[in-house]
Amino acid sequence: MSRTPQTAAPATAPGGGDPPLGEVLVADRLVPPHGPDVPCPAADLVAGELSRRGARPVRGALRLPESRRPAAGGGVTPPSGGEGAAGADHGGGYTAVVAGSDPPRGLGAAPTAATVPGQAGESALREAVDAWLAVAGAARTVLLAAPRSFCAGVERAIEVVEQVLQQRGGPVYVRKQIVHNTRVVAGLEARGAVFVDELDEVPEGAAVVFSAHGVSPQVHRQAAERGLHVVDAACPLVTKVHTEARRFASRGDTVVLIGHGGHEEVEGTLGQAPARTVLVEAPEDVAALEVADPERVAYLTQTTLAVDETAEVVDALRARFPSLRGPASDDICYATTNRQDALAAIAGESDVVLVVGSANSSNSVRLVELAQRRGVPAHLVDDTGEIRPEWLAGVRTVGLTAGASAPPGLVEEVVAALGGLGPVTVHEREVTRETVHFALPSAARRS
Ligand code: SF4
């Protein structure tokens, strides 16, 4: 590897929140002095590895000097991840061409003028590229679960924010994350949405959107007191559970809500009839329940739970309260059920399962757990950069899905990045076709 130029001065000093190695260039293509560019579709993977090693990656072309031309059509250049090329614009670098890739696919990284000088940076570049080279070159199959990604409730909630932004201009305040996905939230923020935790952060009289997870009546009251213009993007299937909670409570039942404490949807449902609702998370919680009348107990569930685990809790409730009543139709929504069924259909054939979704996305986390319960290694990734090379060691078949709040484009990015490590064949397994669509709330419809 070329030495980091000693004259290079870091644009940002270590500390103060900057990564210790500063900025590094991750090649999105290698540019030889002669011949065609070599694309680097796995750039996101290399960037993720460099981030974990303390660098701030930026993307760009990495120019190769005359002496460091990548081998066309195969062979790592140089073999076993040896010294790579130096880009004329970027100082010393480290590059390789994936063995057997046809047309050639490259990997590469280089210091920039803003890289913190020193051996640590050089090592990080080499290690990050080598880590991916170690699992590159083999042909892989990607089994795509279908359905996956956005559900109707998430599409509607995002469109609500977009419509309100269009109608009123920014800023438009959104209470909590509109849906639990980092990419979606960042995209809407860039367009003028301001995400807040509580309504006291919203100026009086401003427009505020409530998230897809639904809110309690208390939040609606607080908004009215502050004169806020509310547009409620609660998923209609969450609203259905709210209605059930009030109906069961009004006829004198103790309402047992099965869900995860602290989740926004659970907070909203608990708030529908707070004096009559209790939360259970697991079958073990049922024995400790105290109810006013064991003959008058009803249950509801969070919409995004694991179907099989929830059935165990309901069984435990029914064993203790034989007169138990439940919702007319399942509270676990169609999108959650379909994504779990779709993953179950491919998990057994997968060496590893990747679930695209954010850590606070309940249905995404349930998908990871489902695969793990079936004995398949499974990992949740917010985006391509979070995939770790060690997860792909010896892996020939990757099961891939995404939670209901994850944009479809993120899945496409993962597939493209895997294609940068070697030949990839994609098979989609569709267990059912979704045709659900929810109309926008009247306050968000175009006039
Ligand atoms: S996951 Fe289900 S309940 Fe949640 S927004 Fe989507 S359709 Fe609605």
Side-chain angles (χ1 to χ4, degrees):
M1 175 178 171
S2 308
R3 306 297 301 174
T4 303
Q6 293 305 300
T7 52
T12 51
D18 287 325
L21 302 180
E23 179 188 277
V24 295
L25 176 79
V26 173
D28 54 24
R29 66 188 195 282
L30 307 178
V31 183
H34 310 287
D37 292 1
V38 178
C40 302
D44 283 347
L45 299 172
V46 175
E49 195 61 21
L50 279 162
S51 294
R52 289 188 286 278
R53 292 168 191 271
R56 183 177 64 255
V58 295
R59 306 302 164 80
L62 181 50
R63 294 198 188 100
L64 308 180
E66 191 72 46
S67 58
R68 298 295 182 193
R69 175 177 316 185
V76 172
T77 306
S80 66
E83 189 170 332
D89 294 341
H90 303 292
Y94 189 67
T95 64
V97 170
V98 172
S101 60
D102 186 16
R105 296 286 181 257
L107 300 170
T112 73
T115 303
V116 175
Q119 186 59 43
E122 292 186 20
S123 300
L125 295 182
R126 181 183 291 270
E127 287 164 9
V129 172
D130 279 350
W132 284 110
L133 275 180
V135 294
R140 290 194 171 91
T141 300
V142 173
L143 292 179
L144 273 180
R148 63 182 177 276
S149 295
F150 282 173
C151 61
V154 162
E155 284 180 341
R156 175 179 181 267
I158 295 169
E159 198 180 343
V160 165
V161 179
E162 289 171 343
Q163 287 294 329
V164 177
L165 276 167
Q166 205 171 71
Q167 289 165 10
R168 301 177 69 103
V172 166
Y173 293 84
V174 182
R175 183 184 178 275
K176 309 287 187 189
Q177 290 191 348
I178 184 72
V179 301
H180 285 156
N181 186 267
T182 311
R183 180 76 65 94
V184 170
V185 168
L188 291 172
E189 263 175 346
R191 296 166 65 179
V194 177
F195 292 88
V196 298
D197 272 334
E198 295 304 338
L199 291 184
D200 55 16
E201 298 167 57
V202 182
E204 292 204 4
V208 63
V209 178
F210 290 163
S211 79
H213 308 100
V215 300
S216 68
Q218 187 197 355
V219 175
H220 275 288
R221 281 195 294 276
Q222 194 189 352
E225 284 162 14
R226 293 178 56 80
L228 303 180
H229 173 80
V230 169
V231 185
D232 192 351
C235 176
L237 300 183
V238 175
T239 304
K240 160 190 171 282
V241 180
H242 289 182
T243 306
E244 290 165 344
R246 294 194 299 272
R247 184 167 59 86
F248 283 139
S250 69
R251 71 185 189 197
D253 289 359
T254 296
V255 181
V256 179
L257 174 61
I258 305 170
H260 296 286
H263 188 278
E264 284 148 45
E265 181 189 323
V266 166
E267 297 298 317
T269 305
L270 285 171
Q272 301 302 313
R276 304 204 68 90
T277 310
V278 292
L279 179 68
V280 299
E281 300 197 12
E284 308 81 75
D285 300 337
V286 171
L289 276 179
E290 292 179 11
V291 302
D293 180 354
E295 296 298 313
R296 301 204 66 88
V297 178
Y299 79 90
L300 298 171
T301 80
Q302 191 178 335
T303 57
T304 50
L305 299 182
V307 173
D308 49 358
E309 290 186 323
T310 304
E312 290 174 23
V313 184
V314 174
D315 287 348
L317 283 169
R318 211 177 292 288
R320 180 155 175 223
F321 307 113
S323 305
L324 182 75
R325 281 177 277 216
S329 61
D330 252 357
D331 288 336
I332 297 176
C333 75
Y334 80 96
T336 297
T337 307
N338 288 347
R339 279 150 192 70
Q340 290 175 16
D341 289 347
L343 178 56
I346 62 163
E349 296 171 59
S350 305
D351 299 319
V352 68
V353 162
L354 300 178
V355 178
V356 181
S358 292
N360 59 348
S361 163
S362 173
N363 77 88
S364 302
V365 174
R366 302 290 86 76
L367 290 171
V368 173
E369 293 170 351
L370 183 150
Q372 290 172 339
R373 280 200 299 278
R374 288 165 181 256
V376 185
H379 308 279
L380 183 69
V381 291
D382 219 352
D383 57 32
T384 307
E386 291 192 352
I387 299 172
R388 306 264 182 148
E390 58 268 28
W391 297 346
L392 298 185
V395 163
R396 294 291 171 267
T397 304
V398 178
L400 182 58
T401 187
S405 47
L410 287 173
V411 173
E412 291 161 18
E413 289 175 18
V414 170
V415 173
L418 294 176
L421 299 177
V424 162
T425 307
V426 178
H427 295 296
E428 185 173 69
R429 297 276 173 77
E430 186 177 58
V431 298
T432 187
R433 184 140 317 172
E434 292 180 344
T435 55
V436 179
H437 175 77
F438 297 131
L440 291 178
S442 57
R445 282 188 210 131
R446 279 181 233 265
S447 57

